[in-house]
Amino acid sequence: MSGSPRAVNSAKRTGDMMRDSALGLVPETLDAYMDLNRCIWEAGPLRPAELEIARLRNARTVNCVFCKSVRYDLARLDGLDESRVDMIDDDYAGSDLSEREKLILAYTDQYLFNPAAIDEALKSSLLELFSPAELVHLSLAVAHFNGFSRCAVALGGMPDKLPIMEISLPD
């Protein structure tokens, strides 16, 4: 996919996927990132399955092989199974996803491609089904997910494909 990595962590392996990656070269930054990640998943008003839908849509858009293969255990426990994940494609509007889930995908796409141009129909639908705090949480989550996946892609060295893997928030 992205050829040879542009940064490699050659330190002794710890068994921690994040710390063993190139991100482990800047532990202070990685620690702050992980703290923010935990807050996004545990402290906001959106459910984990809703966050995972936005995260996976972003991963698909950016084409981050790692991000596309990860499933957060919190989202699975919240009911997001692979049959629902499979609906996060270009035909999601005709899928069996809930209206709220479809709006999360529409908003994520809008955020990623042209955040200033939300049309009145989307804006109205979002305001009907989401509180202002939920929209802020979704925006911050998508920004966070997008930044991380773009960083992973920019650093290179990812394989063409990875198996689906479940991860937990680190302690």
Side-chain angles (χ1 to χ4, degrees):
M1 154 143 205
S2 56
S4 62
R6 289 173 264 299
V8 176
N9 185 350
S10 58
K12 183 179 176 188
R13 296 289 166 219
T14 67
D16 180 308
M17 180 172 35
M18 299 299 282
R19 293 195 186 289
D20 291 346
S21 76
L23 298 174
L25 295 170
V26 286
E28 301 82 8
T29 303
L30 180 58
D31 290 344
Y33 166 81
M34 297 308 290
D35 289 345
L36 177 58
N37 195 52
R38 180 173 292 286
C39 287
I40 285 172
W41 284 98
E42 293 182 336
L46 293 175
R47 294 182 14 248
E50 293 173 328
L51 291 168
E52 187 76 327
I53 286 169
R55 189 190 68 76
L56 289 169
R57 184 63 175 190
N58 169 74
R60 182 181 182 278
T61 301
V62 176
N63 197 26
C64 178
V65 174
F66 176 77
C67 299
K68 290 190 306 186
S69 68
V70 163
R71 304 292 183 270
Y72 274 85
D73 61 348
L74 295 169
R76 285 190 168 174
L77 290 171
D78 193 32
L80 187 65
D81 61 21
E82 285 304 303
S83 67
R84 296 189 78 65
V85 169
D86 290 343
M87 294 181 219
I88 303 171
D89 62 16
D90 289 339
D91 297 322
Y92 72 83
S95 75
D96 288 336
L97 293 171
S98 72
E99 192 58 33
R100 188 172 163 96
E101 292 167 330
K102 290 175 185 178
L103 281 171
I104 287 170
L105 293 173
Y107 182 77
T108 299
D109 285 350
Q110 190 68 56
Y111 186 102
L112 295 173
F113 294 110
N114 194 355
I118 295 178
D119 65 41
E120 286 304 315
L122 178 57
K123 181 180 175 182
S124 176
S125 295
L126 288 165
L127 293 173
E128 282 180 31
L129 292 181
F130 293 88
S131 70
E134 288 173 321
L135 290 173
V136 170
H137 187 209
L138 180 57
S139 298
L140 290 172
V142 173
H144 177 70
F145 302 148
N146 188 252
F148 181 74
S149 60
R150 286 184 183 276
C151 179
V153 170
L155 289 174
M158 277 191 261
D160 290 331
K161 188 170 177 151
L162 287 169
I164 301 300
M165 60 186 121
E166 185 174 296
I167 63 170
S168 301
L169 290 173
D171 294 327

